[in-house]
Amino acid sequence: MGEFEVHRVRFFGLVPAGVRCLAWQPRGDRLGLARTDGTVEVYNFAANYFQEKVIPGHEARSVEALCWAGERLFGAGLNGEITEYDLAGLCVACSVDGCGGPIWSMAINSSGTQLAIGCDDGSVKLFQVVPGGIQFEQNLDRRKGRVLCLSWHPLETHIAAGSIDSFRVLDVCSGQTVQRIMVNYHVKKVKQECIVWSIAFLSSGTVVTSDSFGRVQFWDWEQGTLLDSHTVSNSAILSLAVSEKEDSIIVGTSAGATYQFQLLPVKLSSQEKRWIRTKPFHYHTHDVRAVAHSSTALISGGLDAQLVIRPLMEKMQDKGYEAALRKFTFPHRRLVSCAREARLLLFQFSQHLELWRLGSTNGTGKDGDVLPLSSMPEHLVQLKSKGPEHIYCSCVSPCGSWVAYATASRFHLYRVHYEDDSVRIEKIPKVSKLLLPAYQLQFSSDSSSLFIASARGSVHVVLLLEPGGCRHLHTLQPPSGSPEAVYLLALSADGRWLAAVSGDWAIHIYKLKRLKHHCTVPMYSCAVTAVAIHPVTNNLVIAYSDQQLFEFSIPEKQYTDWSRMVQKSGLHKVWLERDSPITHITFNPKNPSHILLHDTYMFCIIDKSLPLPDNSALLMNQCILKQLPESARQQQLHAFKICKKFQPLLFADLLDEKCLVMVERPIMDIKTQLPLPTQQKKFGT
Amino acid sequence: MAALCESFTLCGLGPSGGVGLDGGLLALEPGPDRDHVLLTDRGRTATLFKVSDQKPLGCWSAKHGQIITCPVVCNFETREYIAVHDDKVLRIWKNTDVNLDKVFKATLSADVYRIHSLPKGGPVVLFKGGGVRTLDVLLEAPQQEIENIISDEVIKWSEAFMEHQQPVLIFATEKNGDSFVYVQKLKMNYLHKYKLERQELSKALSFTAYIKNQIITLLCLSSNDSVYKFLIPLQQNTEKEEQILPRSLLLNLSVSGSVLKGTSFVVLDKDHIAVLGSLATAGEESKECLTIWNTKFQTLQTSKELPLGTSGQIWCYEKKFFFTHGKVLTVVMYKCETSSLAAAVGKLKDSQAPDVSSFVDWNTLGDEELVISFQSQQSVALKPESRMTLRSKKNTVAKVQPDTLSVGQLLLNLKDASTTVFENELRQVMSKGQMPDFQATIGCVVTALINRCKTNPKYYPRNFLLQIVQNQDLSYSLCPDLMVVALEKKDLHLLQICLQRFPDIPEEITYACLKAFLSISDAYLQRIDLNLESVICYLDIEFNDKEVKTEIVENGFSTELEQDIWETKITKKLHGTSDGESCPVGPQKAALLNAVLRSAYSETFLLPHLKNLPAQQAVLFLRYLYYLYVKCSEKINTTLPGTCPPTVNQIMDWLCLLLDAQFSVMVMLPEAKELLSKLHKFVRAQVRFYSELNKIEGSLQELQRLNHQKDPHTYSVEVLELI
């Protein structure tokens, strides 16, 4: 197979933002997630937990709460506005001022028609969800103290609102406070204020609160009495979520632990049931700010940027792979682009870009050797995006002389001149505003044109002009139209074909010479995570989030024989059980039978000329092969050549025939950049 | 709890099918895929069904005038179908074949009783004369002669299993009301015939069997409304004589006055069987019904009335029952959960993967089931009635079936036999292996040996005992006198192994061993063969050091001179008994003491005994413990090298225990004084060391953090080879 010179890059200083809130949509099997930088993401659990939508953040738009109203997603934050997100267009659809100062909490009623917000001034306001937006409806009784958490009674008659030292129950019809309960009444250390961080209203009339003293308490709101109190930890309990059946509760603490409570009979087959703390989990190193409870799993998100999905064993029918714990730290799309010819890497951060030139070596060696460097990598340019908006996408052209990026409202194109040892960067003026929004950028291989993935299934084609300019040539659109944004692009090396993947998972192929729609790849019931067109055969290779691989011949408009063979014999079980999606596919022009691809935990070269491994064979057999003598290897060879040396892998690409670049981001490096956790249990303290 | 779910109709049956004992189907066999069944009726038709879709996938018929005499089975490996019509004509065809007349045909030389298809073993053909061939062998020469084994007996039932990748065929025959069972292992040429113990005035109606851990459990539904169990071990010496299999009652099919007249039954799991039959209550008309019984609790779990009547046959595949009900073939799904606490609490989900194979895979069951079967077996064996019947039959039975003699009786018989005969017989008993109550048997054997030792002081079967203890999982309570006798006979090797293996040695014996070990001189021990694994690694350290150092010294120095110096040093070390560094006992004694250190004990019971330890021995033991403790502390992970050395916790516990027990003696004894002060100093130094480490813990952590931050390898070019 051969040896590669691997440029192992670890200087991409990406620090993912912490998870601020989660919203579970039971009917769509989707999870809404907001990060501390205002980014909103949607994970599709049915599509193997794929991060399906990402709406980049905004400096002034923090998100404190997320709610699903049917298929619509609402957020509210400290800027005092309630925002509806356009999930097809990946942008803010509309926002309405709550008129009560910063919004700390938001809750939706069980029928999904009314939103309640809790404001800094102590008011609780009701908004009606109407087509196209929301409408102010009613102000409920206002009391002193910010409203930090809200919960509707399932019958929509009352709202529980948690504040500092107390919580209230409000009658929705009259708008009056019908009960106010002090939560720090029993505590001696009354000098410290007790913050009710999270609240839940059960249909039985029980109100569950979690507070900064580390207690989970159950109250009878009508009597105003404490039914049960569990001191879970010394640190604050920041989040709480109840299962739909109201038989299980998950809480998250500031020490990074989560606990499950279950409603269990006191005695065997007895009618009397009590809430019992059952399972402790410790997956996070930092505060668990958000938890959610799906019907089969506990979901938690922490300030350590991790999303953890912990299936409940007793709820799983299948005890195998489905019941495995999932952890997600990195985005499911790539933030790195590579200029192959110029050997440049462009790193995308939330508000700036970094352009690096790779180092080089003259040495040679055998497997595992670290070669002496003849030149060090060079940080060429840092481009800071102006304004509060975060960057949607970015790209560097293969020759390295063009750099483009886009935010929600602006599109920037730069010409980069390399003169001796210095780099001069020139902004192209008067770039058309019509090109927005842009979700993905792709330069042609000869750097003569730029393709911009845009809203409603469209792709803009822009001609790049020397010495520095551009002209909008055409907009490609699917023949039947599409409401969804295009999020992936693939361009053939000869510039004849373009494949565009939109949010409805449809893959459209365009013929670029005539700027016409060529065909559509047959629909597959899972999200597309990566596409690429082979430079020699013009076959489109597609990776889906359920780990399936397809190869589609563009000229023949059908799946290739190899693809049919793969589907017939099936992929290896271990391959299908990987839990991170393939984020990038590339090819080796010198070896047309090779497909290079990677996910977060492995890099793989698929050699189509070799037989596929069956389930009895060892999928990751590189170690064994290396120990075998040359003659014995032949029988053990199979198509999947997997390397797990580089982890976590954010990007991998082929620079030339014998040269690879791998961009890693070790978890430890992220951990050291995170602030210290608020509270951490140390041995003996 | 078991439960029957909704039923559905798979298909209607023709005139030949339907109700009544002569009607019904020939058989129902699993199809090539899951959820598929092959139905053969008593005429000339076989049909393949997809059960969940309730629809036929294929149908094949023999010509008019021909009758399919053997149920159609599927060869799971080739996915071909195999049938026999008119007793002798074998047909093999594929899914794509339409006309049965045009498919492969072979005419055999004898009548076929049944074909059994095994998921991994291929089809096996059983002839009516009891001969068995695999299909492959048969197809090589279809006209080959088939032997007749069973003369004038008639095969009533047969079944096949895979055991260690070998097909095992079992079939039951009947002659004059007696039932016989034949077990045949094809590849081993192993054929064994058993006679089933008979109950007066009753007749075997139906059989079923399963295999687990090399034991076939044969269940028999008897005409006196009971289900009996027979155990057939597969690993038996091939003896020519036929044996009588003792039976045990598994289940009585009666419930509060009403009796179930069963016609056929199937095994569902380790505790449940399903019986199809008619429930007769006194004074009422009997009703046919399908019932599930729990054999563990002897209870009727659930039942379903079948008012339209059945043919008395039932099959069960993939958690579904199939039977004819009126004019249709009905399918009933069932749930059958293990009776467990989890199920009672409601925390158990019905998530067990359905079995693909046609019979229950008993190997997947937990071991606890085995234990239960042992217990039930034992309890049956111990029942006074059964023993009495055995005695009454003794004269006739003893000759026919020596195997079924209880071990106790065998031992009784051997009481006066000569030593060699005695040992040989015992060896034979043990070699049988896998008897249901093997553990207890071994216990009896050892006890018998020990009793003989007691009566005859010159007799001591050292090697035999050693072999038993080494190879079997014995415990102290099974043979309480063994260690006492070994102590008397000073069999140190046996004691060492007992200490290592027995989990339940009383503290009194542990102490006796310790005392014995400490009192025996090293010179005597040197001649004894012991297992030195636990000491060899750390006792030899000095020796190893010497080797290594001389090698280094050789580089540029005069070897002889240096060696002289080293040797003197080493001899000094070895002989300086006051030096805490050298081992105070020889390696043999150390190995024995390690065995004591590693054995289980309870402080409360050991302490009173330890108080009686003579002062000199206590000091020696303390010295050895101190030596071990120092050795442990040399390593950063505080473990001793080698296999199974005592852990630092065990050493510390014994140190404390010994000091507690002998404190006043130690304080008074002049030679202990120095040792105690050294021990004290050493422990104090350790405590200080750890407290200092604790103090700088924060700094060390900070260093570690800095290390991570300053990782300089943010960029490197490496070579990667993919093969």
Side-chain angles (χ1 to χ4, degrees):
Chain A
M1 176 99 191
E3 282 187 349
F4 294 96
E5 189 184 296
V6 179
H7 291 257
R8 188 173 190 176
V9 173
R10 292 179 169 190
F11 46 71
F12 179 23
L14 175 77
V15 181
V19 177
R20 179 61 195 88
C21 47
L22 296 171
W24 172 245
Q25 186 203 18
R27 262 172 303 159
D29 219 9
R30 283 177 165 81
L31 179 77
L33 176 150
R35 296 191 181 267
T36 48
D37 64 353
T39 309
V40 172
E41 295 163 4
V42 176
Y43 288 80
N44 186 343
F45 280 32
N48 206 4
Y49 308 95
F50 184 57
Q51 189 190 50
E52 192 177 44
K53 318 263 181 193
V54 178
I55 302 172
H58 189 286
E59 248 179 18
R61 205 181 64 215
S62 78
V63 184
E64 291 293 316
L66 279 180
C67 285
W68 287 96
E71 298 285 310
R72 296 162 70 182
L73 184 63
F74 291 92
L78 297 181
N79 58 354
E81 288 180 344
I82 306 167
T83 310
E84 180 174 2
Y85 297 97
D86 176 1
L87 294 178
L90 305 183
C91 58
V92 170
C94 64
S95 34
V96 173
D97 193 352
C99 299
I103 300 171
W104 288 98
S105 54
M106 179 168 69
I108 193 145
N109 63 0
S110 49
S111 56
T113 52
Q114 278 179 313
L115 278 171
I117 56 165
C119 305
D120 200 51
D121 64 357
S123 61
V124 176
K125 293 159 198 273
L126 292 187
F127 286 78
Q128 192 152 23
V129 180
V130 292
I134 51 170
Q135 228 170 35
F136 177 74
E137 191 181 344
Q138 192 187 355
N139 250 328
L140 303 185
D141 187 22
R142 184 179 139 190
R143 297 280 172 96
K144 200 171 160 248
R146 55 178 61 146
V147 178
L148 289 167
C149 48
L150 285 172
S151 177
W152 286 80
H153 189 272
L155 294 176
E156 307 178 6
T157 52
H158 293 86
I159 294 177
S163 184
I164 293 161
D165 289 338
S166 69
F167 74 87
R168 295 186 279 154
V169 177
L170 298 138
D171 186 295
V172 177
C173 291
S174 65
Q176 294 305 308
T177 300
V178 288
Q179 182 65 273
R180 182 163 178 270
I181 296 170
M182 302 296 290
V183 291
N184 62 350
Y185 189 74
H186 304 283
V187 186
K188 286 194 180 127
K189 44 179 179 180
V190 276
K191 280 186 184 165
Q192 233 180 320
E193 57 186 19
C194 178
I195 303 162
V196 179
W197 279 115
S198 197
I199 199 161
F201 213 144
L202 305 184
S203 48
S204 60
T206 307
V207 175
V208 191
T209 61
S210 72
D211 59 40
S212 57
F213 290 170
R215 297 174 306 184
V216 174
Q217 296 184 312
F218 297 84
W219 306 84
D220 182 327
W221 78 266
E222 275 170 294
Q223 310 292 331
T225 50
L226 180 64
L227 298 174
D228 209 345
S229 176
H230 298 261
T231 304
V232 173
S233 84
N234 293 324
S235 47
I237 300 180
L238 299 174
S239 46
L240 181 156
V242 186
S243 69
E244 219 173 359
K245 283 190 189 160
E246 298 192 352
D247 58 354
S248 165
I249 291 177
I250 174 178
V251 299
T253 72
S254 64
T258 51
Y259 299 90
Q260 191 191 5
F261 283 77
Q262 279 175 291
L263 189 62
L264 296 174
V266 189
K267 267 188 265 170
L268 193 69
S269 68
S270 136
Q271 287 301 312
E272 191 192 347
K273 289 183 170 184
R274 284 184 66 180
W275 286 98
I276 313 283
R277 195 180 90 186
T278 49
K279 293 174 209 134
F281 302 108
H282 207 129
Y283 301 121
H284 298 273
T285 55
H286 288 67
D287 305 24
V288 180
R289 289 296 295 270
V291 289
H293 203 309
S294 79
S295 57
T296 56
L298 305 178
I299 305 161
S300 57
L303 289 187
D304 55 359
Q306 282 194 104
L307 170 67
V308 176
I309 298 152
R310 192 336 175 148
L312 291 168
M313 288 302 174
E314 70 265 24
K315 300 271 161 88
M316 304 305 286
Q317 292 296 323
D318 183 13
K319 295 268 143 78
Y321 156 67
E322 284 302 315
L325 176 81
R326 309 295 176 108
K327 274 189 182 188
F328 298 107
T329 312
F330 295 103
H332 286 167
R333 48 199 70 205
R334 61 195 164 98
L335 302 174
V336 183
S337 56
C338 169
R340 279 191 185 186
E341 295 161 29
R343 302 219 162 184
L344 302 177
L345 287 178
L346 183 72
F347 298 137
Q348 178 187 324
F349 294 83
S350 61
Q351 283 188 292
H352 71 273
L353 302 174
E354 281 181 11
L355 188 64
W356 289 73
R357 178 182 285 144
L358 290 173
S360 60
T361 180
N362 298 323
T364 52
K366 59 178 197 308
D367 184 40
D369 284 358
V370 178
L371 303 179
L373 295 177
S374 56
S375 68
M376 291 301 288
E378 217 179 325
H379 185 179
L380 300 175
V381 176
Q382 182 171 28
L383 267 173
K384 279 196 177 154
S385 159
K386 289 196 186 109
E389 292 167 344
H390 289 183
I391 296 171
Y392 268 63
C393 54
S394 63
C395 194
V396 60
S397 68
C399 64
S401 50
W402 300 89
V403 169
Y405 76 88
T407 65
S409 63
R410 290 197 290 180
F411 181 79
H412 301 267
L413 183 62
Y414 293 92
R415 182 73 211 261
V416 190
H417 300 276
Y418 304 91
E419 291 154 349
D420 302 326
D421 283 345
S422 69
V423 179
R424 191 164 57 82
I425 192 154
E426 179 192 345
K427 187 175 178 190
I428 310 297
K430 289 183 234 156
V431 177
S432 167
K433 275 250 176 188
L434 294 174
L435 301 176
L436 285 169
Y439 304 114
Q440 178 83 351
L441 302 171
Q442 179 84 46
F443 285 96
S444 66
S445 55
D446 57 357
S447 304
S448 65
S449 46
L450 170 65
F451 297 86
I452 302 166
S454 193
R456 283 182 291 285
S458 59
V459 179
H460 302 295
V461 186
V462 175
L463 278 186
L464 302 173
L465 308 171
E466 292 295 338
C470 69
R471 183 165 62 85
H472 179 221
L473 183 70
H474 188 75
T475 299
L476 300 165
Q477 262 174 332
S480 54
S482 165
E484 297 273 342
V486 175
Y487 71 98
L488 283 174
L489 287 178
L491 196 66
S492 70
D494 55 11
R496 284 169 62 198
W497 308 103
L498 175 78
V501 187
S502 50
D504 51 5
W505 308 338
I507 307 173
H508 293 282
I509 296 170
Y510 300 95
K511 199 167 203 168
L512 290 177
K513 272 199 181 142
R514 296 192 192 160
L515 295 170
K516 265 195 162 165
H517 186 261
H518 175 67
C519 66
T520 308
V521 178
M523 278 298 282
Y524 182 72
S525 62
C526 213
V528 183
T529 67
V531 283
I533 299 176
H534 197 281
V536 179
T537 58
N538 277 339
N539 288 338
L540 179 73
V541 177
I542 311 154
Y544 289 97
S545 66
D546 61 353
Q547 312 297 359
Q548 290 293 345
L549 289 172
F550 285 87
E551 193 186 39
F552 181 83
S553 167
I554 295 176
E556 291 170 24
K557 297 191 190 178
Q558 62 174 3
Y559 287 119
T560 63
D561 291 341
W562 183 78
S563 182
R564 286 170 206 274
M565 196 263 287
V566 168
Q567 288 310 310
K568 204 171 161 195
S569 58
L571 289 161
H572 195 279
K573 190 165 148 272
V574 175
W575 176 270
L576 295 176
E577 287 181 358
R578 292 176 307 113
D579 60 2
S580 69
I582 286 163
T583 48
H584 186 48
I585 302 173
T586 186
F587 303 96
N588 189 349
K590 295 274 156 53
N591 264 323
S593 68
H594 289 182
I595 305 171
L596 287 73
L597 36 80
H598 78 89
D599 65 15
T600 314
Y601 300 105
M602 61 106 213
F603 169 76
C604 176
I605 298 182
I606 298 177
D607 187 342
K608 289 197 285 174
S609 60
L610 290 174
L612 292 173
D614 60 3
N615 274 338
S616 60
L618 195 66
L619 182 68
M620 288 157 208
N621 63 350
Q622 287 294 318
C623 281
I624 292 172
L625 286 180
K626 275 174 192 166
Q627 289 161 12
L628 287 180
E630 199 72 49
S631 52
R633 284 182 186 173
Q634 288 306 320
Q635 288 159 3
Q636 300 292 322
L637 288 182
H638 62 66
F640 287 77
K641 296 161 188 322
I642 294 173
C643 164
K644 301 199 86 164
K645 185 177 174 188
F646 309 100
Q647 283 185 356
L649 193 57
L650 296 192
F651 179 74
D653 204 359
L654 188 83
L655 292 173
D656 62 43
E657 195 189 342
K658 286 276 165 208
C659 190
L660 289 167
V661 58
M662 306 264 188
V663 181
E664 280 176 291
R665 183 67 181 146
I667 296 279
M668 258 333 276
D669 292 4
I670 297 178
K671 292 262 158 79
T672 54
Q673 297 210 8
L674 290 173
L676 284 174
T678 43
Q679 275 180 327
Q680 196 177 40
K681 179 154 174 65
K682 285 227 172 87
F683 181 76
T685 58
Chain B
M1 281 294 284
L4 290 165
C5 306
E6 282 293 294
S7 64
F8 60 86
T9 301
L10 188 61
C11 66
L13 297 171
S16 64
V19 189
L21 280 177
D22 287 330
L25 306 164
L26 195 57
L28 200 72
E29 288 278 337
D33 291 305
R34 276 182 64 177
D35 199 31
H36 289 185
V37 292
L38 267 169
L39 186 148
T40 315
D41 66 16
R42 286 195 192 270
R44 49 190 191 90
T45 319
T47 319
L48 176 68
F49 282 98
K50 185 166 170 65
V51 178
S52 56
D53 292 358
Q54 304 175 39
K55 83 174 185 202
L57 299 178
C59 181
W60 299 274
S61 300
K63 265 203 287 194
H64 277 286
Q66 296 175 339
I67 292 177
I68 298 182
T69 51
C70 163
V72 178
V73 295
C74 175
N75 185 345
F76 298 105
E77 280 163 356
T78 60
R79 301 175 75 86
E80 288 170 330
Y81 303 99
I82 307 153
V84 175
H85 62 77
D86 302 317
D87 290 328
K88 277 186 180 150
V89 188
L90 187 79
R91 294 281 190 176
I92 300 177
W93 73 96
K94 283 211 185 264
N95 232 335
T96 46
D97 292 317
V98 182
N99 195 339
L100 211 54
D101 215 26
K102 289 180 181 162
V103 300
F104 174 85
K105 173 180 172 183
T107 308
L108 309 175
S109 63
D111 287 359
V112 175
Y113 175 72
R114 264 199 84 159
I115 302 175
H116 288 280
S117 180
L118 292 163
K120 275 177 187 156
V124 179
V125 183
L126 171 65
F127 290 88
K128 283 190 178 162
V132 179
R133 296 284 185 278
T134 61
L135 188 67
D136 301 342
V137 171
L138 199 61
L139 289 180
E140 276 168 26
Q143 282 294 325
Q144 63 185 276
E145 199 178 317
I146 307 295
E147 70 280 359
N148 190 343
I149 312 172
I150 59 172
S151 57
D152 52 350
E153 296 158 21
V154 180
I155 301 184
K156 303 296 280 184
W157 165 88
S158 65
E159 179 67 82
F161 309 104
M162 289 302 284
E163 173 72 17
H164 292 300
Q165 274 93 50
Q166 291 182 16
V168 176
L169 202 102
I170 172 169
F171 59 91
T173 61
E174 203 182 66
K175 181 189 172 187
N176 302 336
D178 282 325
S179 295
F180 302 92
V181 169
Y182 293 78
V183 177
Q184 194 156 11
K185 280 194 214 171
L186 261 76
K187 289 188 183 156
M188 310 263 293
N189 249 341
Y190 166 102
L191 174 70
H192 216 284
K193 180 179 177 182
Y194 302 90
K195 187 176 176 192
L196 298 186
E197 191 192 332
R198 210 181 144 183
Q199 171 86 358
E200 295 305 317
L201 301 172
S202 74
K203 205 178 133 188
L205 293 177
S206 169
F207 294 93
T208 188
Y210 59 84
I211 191 162
K212 188 180 183 210
N213 288 352
Q214 305 240 329
I215 301 175
I216 297 177
T217 306
L218 178 73
L219 301 183
C220 166
L221 178 66
S222 171
S223 60
N224 63 355
D225 311 317
S226 303
V227 177
Y228 293 100
K229 180 161 113 173
F230 301 90
L231 293 181
I232 310 171
L234 267 182
Q235 278 186 336
Q236 280 228 336
N237 301 343
T238 41
E239 285 167 51
K240 291 284 175 273
E241 304 147 287
E242 78 172 34
Q243 301 172 7
I244 294 186
L245 283 177
R247 50 165 204 166
S248 58
L249 181 67
L250 183 72
L251 181 69
N252 213 331
L253 297 175
S254 65
V255 120
S256 58
S258 47
V259 174
L260 185 77
K261 296 274 175 200
T263 48
S264 62
F265 72 121
V266 286
V267 182
L268 306 183
D269 67 10
K270 57 179 179 175
D271 302 329
H272 295 91
I273 64 171
V275 184
L276 187 70
S278 52
L279 195 64
T281 316
E284 279 180 48
E285 207 176 324
S286 66
K287 300 169 284 190
E288 286 202 69
C289 54
L290 171 64
T291 51
I292 296 183
W293 298 75
N294 186 322
T295 56
K296 202 195 232 167
F297 304 128
Q298 303 275 320
T299 50
L300 175 64
Q301 296 261 346
T302 182
S303 75
K304 186 185 179 82
E305 271 191 45
L306 306 167
L308 299 179
T310 68
S311 67
Q313 296 161 298
I314 185 165
W315 297 272
C316 171
Y317 300 115
E318 292 167 12
K319 302 236 161 198
K320 293 180 194 83
F321 294 122
F322 299 80
F323 52 87
T324 55
H325 185 206
K327 284 279 175 195
V328 295
L329 179 63
T330 303
V331 183
V332 178
M333 309 249 265
Y334 70 90
K335 274 185 199 158
C336 199
E337 283 156 13
T338 325
S339 331
S340 67
L341 189 61
V345 183
K347 300 296 285 175
L348 198 72
K349 287 268 165 182
D350 46 338
S351 56
Q352 278 163 341
D355 256 329
V356 188
S357 58
S358 61
F359 58 89
V360 191
D361 187 4
W362 292 89
N363 287 323
T364 55
L365 288 177
D367 275 346
E368 105 279 15
E369 155 63 12
L370 204 64
V371 172
I372 289 165
S373 82
F374 282 155
Q375 283 168 350
S376 62
Q377 194 63 31
Q378 262 174 319
S379 64
V380 169
L382 293 177
K383 265 186 196 167
E385 311 94 78
S386 60
R387 198 172 268 181
M388 265 156 63
T389 48
L390 263 180
R391 272 187 201 146
S392 61
K393 284 181 185 172
K394 196 175 168 185
N395 291 334
T396 48
V397 169
K399 278 176 195 165
V400 186
Q401 31 156 183
D403 264 18
T404 47
L405 259 184
S406 78
V407 177
Q409 272 179 318
L410 181 74
L411 294 175
L412 219 69
N413 291 351
L414 290 171
K415 207 173 171 186
D416 305 320
S418 75
T419 328
T420 41
V421 174
F422 180 68
E423 279 188 29
N424 278 341
E425 282 293 330
L426 289 185
R427 269 177 220 273
Q428 225 168 22
V429 169
M430 283 173 36
S431 64
K432 294 243 166 68
Q434 284 302 328
M435 271 180 284
D437 46 359
F438 189 59
Q439 218 76 40
T441 313
I442 296 294
C444 294
V445 169
V446 175
T447 315
L449 279 169
I450 295 300
N451 285 341
R452 187 170 267 245
C453 293
K454 279 185 184 164
T455 49
N456 178 4
K458 281 182 187 164
Y459 175 71
Y460 186 68
R462 186 181 300 269
N463 290 331
F464 188 33
L465 283 174
L466 207 60
Q467 197 187 337
I468 296 176
V469 175
Q470 262 173 339
N471 297 336
Q472 318 296 343
D473 290 327
L474 277 183
S475 61
Y476 180 85
S477 39
L478 270 175
C479 43
D481 290 340
L482 174 65
M483 288 186 76
V484 178
V485 172
L487 269 172
E488 269 170 31
K489 304 276 180 187
K490 282 198 174 179
D491 187 352
L492 297 173
H493 194 187
L494 184 69
L495 284 175
Q496 188 191 20
I497 290 167
C498 289
L499 280 168
Q500 283 166 354
R501 284 175 175 263
F502 291 1
D504 54 349
I505 301 173
E507 282 74 5
E508 191 185 350
I509 301 293
T510 314
Y511 166 74
C513 291
L514 175 68
K515 197 179 160 192
F517 295 162
L518 286 169
S519 60
I520 292 167
S521 75
D522 276 328
Y524 172 79
L525 280 170
Q526 264 171 9
R527 283 178 281 127
I528 293 177
D529 179 33
L530 283 173
N531 180 357
L532 294 181
E533 268 181 356
S534 68
V535 280
I536 207 85
C537 282
Y538 60 90
L539 279 190
D540 276 1
I541 282 173
E542 287 99 27
F543 184 70
N544 285 342
D545 281 355
K546 174 186 157 193
E547 297 251 305
V548 171
K549 273 167 189 160
T550 44
E551 267 172 35
I552 296 164
V553 167
E554 268 175 2
N555 286 334
F557 288 97
S558 152
T559 328
E560 282 175 27
L561 188 82
E562 291 288 325
Q563 205 157 8
D564 279 350
I565 297 167
W566 279 113
E567 261 167 20
T568 48
K569 273 190 186 171
I570 286 154
T571 44
K572 214 169 108 190
K573 258 190 183 176
L574 283 176
H575 294 289
T577 41
S578 60
D579 195 345
E581 295 273 322
S582 74
C583 185
V585 294
Q588 283 86 0
K589 194 179 273 190
L592 290 172
L593 290 176
N594 284 352
V596 174
L597 291 184
R598 288 180 62 82
S599 66
Y601 65 90
S602 160
E603 252 177 50
T604 335
F605 298 118
L606 190 61
L607 204 62
H609 296 297
L610 268 186
K611 287 197 165 126
N612 303 332
L613 197 67
Q616 288 309 319
Q617 291 177 9
V619 172
L620 181 64
F621 191 37
L622 187 64
R623 193 164 273 153
Y624 178 63
L625 287 170
Y626 171 53
Y627 165 79
L628 283 181
Y629 183 48
V630 172
K631 274 279 168 225
C632 274
S633 311
E634 278 172 2
K635 291 266 171 64
I636 190 129
N637 56 356
T638 59
T639 50
L640 290 167
T643 46
C644 310
T647 67
V648 72
N649 283 342
Q650 283 166 338
I651 296 165
M652 285 307 281
D653 287 347
W654 272 95
L655 261 177
C656 297
L657 206 58
L658 190 65
L659 285 174
D660 275 350
Q662 300 271 337
F663 190 72
S664 50
V665 181
M666 293 282 176
V667 172
M668 302 297 287
L669 220 60
E671 60 257 50
K673 209 169 177 183
E674 197 190 351
L675 181 64
L676 283 180
S677 91
K678 268 203 278 184
L679 192 58
H680 174 66
K681 270 182 198 160
F682 186 72
V683 173
R684 199 174 55 194
Q686 292 254 304
V687 171
R688 279 196 190 145
F689 175 64
Y690 283 110
S691 73
E692 289 301 311
L693 272 182
N694 261 341
K695 277 183 202 163
I696 59 165
E697 185 194 4
S699 322
L700 288 174
Q701 270 180 352
E702 192 61 21
L703 272 177
Q704 210 173 5
R705 215 169 70 86
L706 283 176
N707 262 346
H708 274 295
Q709 276 179 341
K710 283 188 183 166
D711 187 8
H713 304 297
T714 55
Y715 181 73
S716 58
V717 180
E718 296 178 14
V719 178
L720 172 72
E721 188 190 12
L722 288 174
I723 300 157

